[in-house]
Amino acid sequence: MRPHGHPLLALAEAAGGHLVQGDGSLHVEHLVLDSRKPLPAEGALFFAIRSARHDGHQHLRDLYTRGVRAFVVQDPAPLLGTDAQVVVVQDSVDALQRMAAWHRAHFHTPVVGITGSNGKTVVKEWLYQILRETTHMVRSPGSWNSQVGVPLSVWNMDATHALGVFEAGISRPGEMERLRTIILPTLGIFTNIGPAHAENFSDDHAKAREKLLLFTSCEALVYCRDHAAVHAAVQEAHLAQRVKLCDWSREGSAWLHVTREDHDRDGAQLTVLHDHRESVFRVPFADAASVENALHGIALLLHLGHDPEWIAGRLLHLGPVAMRLEMVDGVHGSTLINDAYSNDTASLAIALDHLNAIAGERPRVVVLSDILESGEEAAQLYGRVGRLLKRARVDRLIGIGPQLAAHASSLPPGSFHSSAEAMLAEVDAESLREAAVLVKGARTFGLERVVAQWQEKVHGTVLEIDLEAVRHNLDHYRAQVRPGVQLMAMVKAFGYGGGAVELARLFAHHRVHYLGVAYADEGVALRQAGIRLPVMVMNPEPVPWSTLQRFNLEPVVYNERSLREAMAHTRDHAEAPPVHLKIDTGMHRLGFTPDEVPHLVNTLRDAHHLRAASIFSHLAASEAPEHDAFTREQIVQFSAAAEALCAVLPERPLLHLANSAAVKRFPEAQFNMVRLGIGLHGIGADATETALLRPAATLRSPIAQLRTVQPGESVSYGRRHRVATPQRIATLPIGYADGLPRKLGNGHGRMWVQGQAAPFVGSICMDMCMIDVTGINCREGDDAVLFDPAHPVTEVAHDLGTIAYEVLTAISPRVKRVHVHH
């Protein structure tokens, strides 16, 4: 068994599969699901998983070429080579789960299983922070709690671990029993029940009953009996007859009774009664969710026999759990990935995967601190770190701490420094030019100072783009299209305000087929950033064909002039990029009208030197039911024009008409490619579809100053706001030069501070604005939010009498873009 691996033959038998090629002697150390990620040098087993969106079988030959020699497939694999070893199963995900369950059964280590609607990852990470000095633990990396995340997490378990802590998340009935057999928890924590995945359960009680199945064979269960649905499920299951219930409550007697709770801005003090003994615990977080998470951890630690005073001492050192990676623009054209608050091999592997996804052909630099309190022998630990870095093709390592320097021979080339301050003094930021830089370190090393010094200097207002939300929305549309239909992602207008280059990298990583931009300059910027996907340039600005050819940008041909220019250039340049033929079916903006199509057909009949990549048109009102008859007429006109053109073209091109709204509303308009725009940012055709998407953008600005303005005084230019009663006014560094419309001033519109509405006061200034925070508990430095997932951009658009497109694209480039990956 690991760390030397399991024989493939044994794994095949555990999964009920059939070894159809090879002798099964290969020892498997790594389970691989994603063909896009860097691969281990040896011992990898690839699972070809088929879903509505992807089919791993398409990548078998490429993976074999890259060195993978063991495969789990649902279909007989193509001939890959005599040294390949292939296992055929009915279902690859089921095989993955069976293999992980078989692996788990080799160990008798105590294992904590955590489930619930919220708080799973925080509870897990806080247990790690508390126990890491005394206990060698294995835990779920990040939030790996799904049907594939759990088996991958449990596979990391080996005989050296004294404790396992794994999350389990479900979205529909029937899933938890599969996860239970993989985790086999001996101890359990049920955090809470919330609205997540409510669409697949009749009510919270049904959801709680399904989640509780994780704990049917546990020795002890921690939960809050004040959560009615959870407590009722525990009672109905009669768990107390076979499981020790370590319940806690604020409202009444329990195994752990919270008798007093005092809060201040810096945290909460909890007085609890357990086993006839009163204890006091200080938690360095004041919000209700953090206090609940801490109480779950306290209850588990007490059950494990830890002394209350020891627990109290460890709680004081709890740090925030980094639930995401942040990407910001760095100096000299670099991109910084900020993961400066934790460091262990599991989270390092996740961060390196993200570096791989965004780096492209750019140099890869990792700033890494020593890994503290891992419980692992140093040579073995840093040997594993070196293998992770080399697998990720890291070009340069900047190490901070004595342990990395001591094990430099196991690591990629680079430099080693005693501290973050020393490194900043010794490393020239110019050497990072155009690089993708991961900053990863334990909190005690203070690597956030590295990010602060190396990021491009901008003011504090931030537009945050949740890349995981964009990916979720992309997958939503991918599931709506027919098999074989390609996807074009629109990244025009600075990626709808969200940063075209970072979004393009995301789309490339997730195998979108085409990108669309408005102007050639936008396409040039993508090419200069290393984006290789095909790019269609949609708008009519005259651009020299030499520029289009140099950067391999594909222009739109929409009238007689652009057709003549394309034909003249392509006649003399065989390597010229293809064109996209635009038909005007009723938008009346650009394109050949139906009356002009016969002439276009005749012109193209013998123009075999002109390559057409696609034929397309624009729907004028696909989101509006009152115009559905017009939309259907557009579809008919486009189909007729496209077929007439296809009849004379030497090769049949792509046909695309559907935008985000039409994908679901008009499936007949999908043809063989669809163009996705605003839907990728979380705005659907209607409220029903929008509820299935995730808003991707958050615009926030920090409070720069607070003051109390007295009656009779005025606020902002023109003295349009007169104070009637004392008002507490907050000034924010965001104004109309940042894209905040002046129409929002003087009580029209609001920001959100601590979850409460704070109306705009006075006129919006060029660089600042003022809001009324009277009665809101806030201080300088706190964020005010214009829009976020809880207060979507569509609400701001409604206040302005416009559309979300305008609000997003109006945000100035001087506003800092931060791209986060959960």
Side-chain angles (χ1 to χ4, degrees):
M1 67 187 69
R2 296 184 72 249
H4 304 294
H6 293 294
L8 179 61
L9 181 60
L11 290 169
E13 292 173 352
H18 302 285
L19 188 68
V20 298
Q21 184 174 336
D23 61 4
S25 62
L26 185 144
H27 278 245
V28 175
E29 293 187 37
H30 308 282
L31 308 184
V32 177
L33 308 185
D34 192 336
S35 62
R36 299 164 299 185
K37 295 181 179 180
L39 298 170
E42 56 186 18
L45 173 61
F46 177 73
F47 292 78
I49 294 174
R50 180 177 290 127
S51 69
R53 306 183 185 107
H54 302 287
D55 187 353
H57 295 81
Q58 298 174 353
H59 309 293
L60 298 180
R61 291 190 183 279
D62 173 61
L63 287 163
Y64 179 82
T65 301
R66 292 165 59 193
V68 177
R69 290 297 179 266
F71 302 87
V72 173
V73 300
Q74 293 175 209
D75 299 331
L79 186 62
L80 296 173
T82 57
D83 57 344
Q85 305 201 25
V86 180
V87 177
V88 175
V89 298
Q90 288 189 339
D91 185 297
S92 296
V93 173
D94 178 69
L96 170 70
Q97 294 174 340
R98 288 172 180 264
M99 291 181 188
W102 180 79
H103 172 75
R104 163 70 180 92
H106 285 78
F107 308 105
H108 302 289
T109 306
V111 169
V112 181
I114 306 177
T115 195
S117 297
N118 303 104
K120 298 184 291 295
T121 300
V122 173
V123 172
K124 176 200 68 187
E125 292 300 317
W126 278 357
L127 287 173
Y128 172 72
Q129 290 181 24
I130 291 169
L131 293 171
R132 63 187 174 190
E133 290 184 5
T134 61
T135 307
H136 185 35
M137 292 174 55
V138 59
R139 70 196 195 280
S140 306
S143 299
W144 288 17
N145 55 39
S146 67
Q147 296 291 305
V148 296
V150 167
L152 291 177
S153 299
V154 170
W155 181 258
N156 291 322
M157 194 173 186
D158 65 41
T160 69
H161 294 116
L163 180 68
V165 184
F166 301 110
E167 302 178 36
I170 59 168
S171 58
R172 53 181 51 86
E175 291 184 338
M176 187 57 85
E177 178 58 23
R178 300 176 70 89
L179 300 185
R180 185 194 68 80
T181 62
I182 301 168
I183 298 174
L184 286 180
T186 56
L187 305 167
I189 299 177
F190 197 145
T191 59
N192 51 49
I193 282 291
H197 306 299
E199 67 275 11
N200 295 323
F201 296 92
S202 57
D203 53 31
D204 283 350
H205 291 278
K207 195 190 311 181
R209 287 193 296 270
E210 174 70 19
K211 289 180 180 288
L212 199 65
L213 293 175
L214 179 63
F215 309 117
T216 53
S217 58
C218 280
E219 299 168 7
L221 172 64
V222 171
Y223 75 99
C224 176
R225 67 184 297 145
D226 301 338
H227 289 299
V230 176
H231 185 56
V234 171
Q235 297 297 106
E236 291 170 13
H238 304 292
L239 276 190
Q241 298 176 8
R242 59 187 186 277
V243 177
K244 179 179 179 180
L245 300 181
C246 302
D247 55 349
W248 62 268
S249 174
R250 295 182 177 92
E251 300 172 0
S253 61
W255 186 81
L256 180 72
H257 183 198
V258 183
T259 59
R260 180 167 178 170
E261 193 170 329
D262 299 301
H263 291 253
D264 55 42
R265 290 195 65 89
D266 298 316
Q269 183 164 294
L270 310 172
T271 303
V272 306
L273 185 64
H274 166 63
D275 198 21
H276 308 292
R277 176 181 175 181
E278 187 174 82
S279 301
V280 177
F281 300 101
R282 175 79 185 177
V283 180
F285 300 91
D287 62 287
S290 293
V291 171
E292 179 176 276
N293 293 333
L295 282 164
H296 288 314
I298 290 168
L300 180 74
L301 293 165
L302 288 171
H303 169 73
L304 290 174
H306 291 283
D307 182 76
E309 292 185 6
W310 180 86
I311 298 171
R314 297 299 298 165
L315 286 172
L316 294 175
H317 301 287
L318 287 181
V321 175
M323 303 290 286
R324 62 192 190 173
L325 303 177
E326 289 189 349
M327 282 192 301
V328 296
D329 290 333
V331 295
H332 306 299
S334 63
T335 298
L336 303 181
I337 305 173
N338 182 11
D339 193 14
Y341 300 102
S342 66
N343 198 17
D344 57 84
T345 53
S347 62
L348 175 61
I350 294 173
L352 289 171
D353 282 344
H354 190 57
L355 175 67
N356 175 66
I358 68 102
E361 299 303 315
R362 296 182 293 167
R364 302 173 187 211
V365 178
V366 173
V367 180
L368 185 68
S369 80
D370 283 352
I371 296 177
L372 304 178
E373 303 164 349
S374 73
E376 192 172 353
E377 193 273 324
Q380 180 177 320
L381 170 65
Y382 289 101
R384 192 142 54 91
V385 169
R387 290 191 293 275
L388 287 172
L389 294 171
K390 291 170 184 176
R391 185 195 310 172
R393 295 182 289 132
V394 171
D395 299 294
R396 178 185 176 191
L397 172 66
I398 301 175
I400 298 176
Q403 288 298 315
L404 283 166
H407 295 88
S409 61
S410 300
L411 303 170
S415 59
F416 300 92
H417 311 269
S418 60
S419 66
E421 290 80 4
M423 187 275 291
L424 288 170
E426 295 160 6
V427 173
D428 184 359
E430 169 70 27
S431 66
L432 306 174
R433 181 171 295 278
E434 304 298 332
V437 183
L438 168 64
V439 180
K440 174 76 174 164
R443 184 177 299 275
T444 55
F445 285 89
L447 296 194
E448 67 274 9
R449 287 167 288 185
V450 175
V451 177
Q453 184 157 325
W454 284 354
Q455 70 177 323
E456 194 173 45
K457 297 300 184 285
V458 289
H459 66 68
T461 298
V462 168
L463 178 64
E464 180 180 290
I465 305 299
D466 184 345
L467 295 181
E468 188 63 22
V470 177
R471 183 207 58 77
H472 167 88
N473 299 335
L474 174 64
D475 283 348
H476 167 82
Y477 288 106
R478 185 171 261 143
Q480 303 296 322
V481 300
R482 297 186 305 274
V485 173
Q486 297 189 16
L487 305 178
M488 176 185 288
M490 305 305 300
V491 291
K492 61 181 181 176
F494 199 45
Y496 288 66
V501 169
E502 294 304 337
L503 289 173
R505 288 184 179 128
L506 175 76
F507 296 139
H509 184 66
H510 288 282
R511 296 194 172 101
V512 163
H513 304 89
Y514 251 95
L515 298 174
V517 299
Y519 294 100
D521 288 350
E522 297 174 324
V524 169
L526 294 179
R527 292 289 184 246
Q528 291 174 335
I531 304 300
R532 295 183 174 181
L533 284 178
V535 176
M536 180 178 78
V537 181
M538 300 185 69
N539 278 11
E541 181 183 51
V543 179
W545 263 88
S546 58
T547 299
L548 296 171
Q549 183 166 324
R550 177 186 173 193
F551 291 100
N552 194 25
L553 303 176
E554 302 175 11
V556 168
V557 168
Y558 55 90
N559 64 2
E560 185 69 24
R561 176 191 58 78
S562 58
L563 177 62
R564 286 197 306 270
E565 292 174 356
M567 293 180 65
H569 183 83
T570 56
R571 186 178 295 110
D572 300 325
H573 299 83
E575 70 281 13
V579 302
H580 298 259
L581 302 173
K582 177 72 179 288
I583 307 300
D584 179 5
T585 57
M587 183 85 160
H588 297 325
R589 188 172 63 179
L590 290 176
F592 294 94
T593 66
D595 290 343
E596 294 170 326
V597 167
H599 174 67
L600 178 61
V601 167
N602 288 330
T603 303
L604 294 176
R605 192 180 305 276
D606 298 317
H608 293 167
H609 56 279
L610 182 68
R611 292 184 297 137
S614 81
I615 303 168
F616 76 106
S617 185
H618 267 83
L619 295 175
S622 61
E623 75 286 353
E626 65 270 25
H627 297 302
D628 281 358
F630 181 82
T631 299
R632 292 190 179 93
E633 179 58 30
Q634 282 193 276
I635 296 171
V636 170
Q637 288 193 30
F638 174 74
S639 184
E643 290 305 318
L645 290 166
C646 287
V648 299
L649 292 172
E651 296 181 2
R652 188 175 180 88
L654 293 167
L655 308 181
H656 50 108
L657 178 63
N659 55 8
S660 299
V663 169
K664 181 69 179 292
R665 298 197 73 241
F666 297 97
E668 67 272 26
Q670 291 180 9
F671 293 95
N672 50 17
M673 186 160 72
V674 298
R675 299 188 304 274
L676 304 177
I678 196 68
L680 294 171
H681 299 266
I683 300 169
D686 52 32
T688 300
E689 183 172 63
T690 298
L692 299 175
L693 302 174
R694 289 171 52 181
T698 295
L699 182 62
R700 63 176 189 268
S701 189
I703 295 175
Q705 186 177 47
L706 286 167
R707 69 171 73 244
T708 299
V709 181
Q710 300 299 326
E713 296 182 352
S714 61
V715 177
S716 196
Y717 289 117
R719 307 195 69 198
R720 292 183 178 87
H721 177 77
R722 299 295 183 98
V723 176
T725 60
Q727 284 184 294
R728 195 167 183 237
I729 302 298
T731 300
L732 310 176
I734 180 173
Y736 58 77
D738 301 296
L740 187 67
R742 293 188 76 244
K743 187 176 180 180
L744 287 176
N746 298 300
H748 187 66
R750 71 204 67 77
M751 300 283 278
W752 298 89
V753 179
Q754 304 292 2
Q756 300 182 60
F760 289 106
V761 173
S763 298
I764 305 294
C765 308
M766 179 182 290
D767 307 300
M768 288 173 278
C769 68
M770 282 67 77
I771 56 175
D772 181 3
V773 295
T774 305
I776 299 176
N777 183 17
C778 61
R779 56 185 174 185
E780 292 177 2
D782 286 355
D783 279 333
V785 172
L786 182 63
F787 53 79
D788 65 2
H791 311 96
V793 65
T794 48
E795 294 181 0
V796 179
H798 181 268
D799 290 342
L800 291 167
T802 185
I803 56 177
Y805 296 78
E806 182 177 350
V807 177
L808 290 172
T809 58
I811 298 169
S812 167
R814 80 176 187 180
V815 171
K816 176 180 176 181
R817 268 68 174 178
V818 173
H819 297 86
V820 300
H821 180 85
H822 296 276

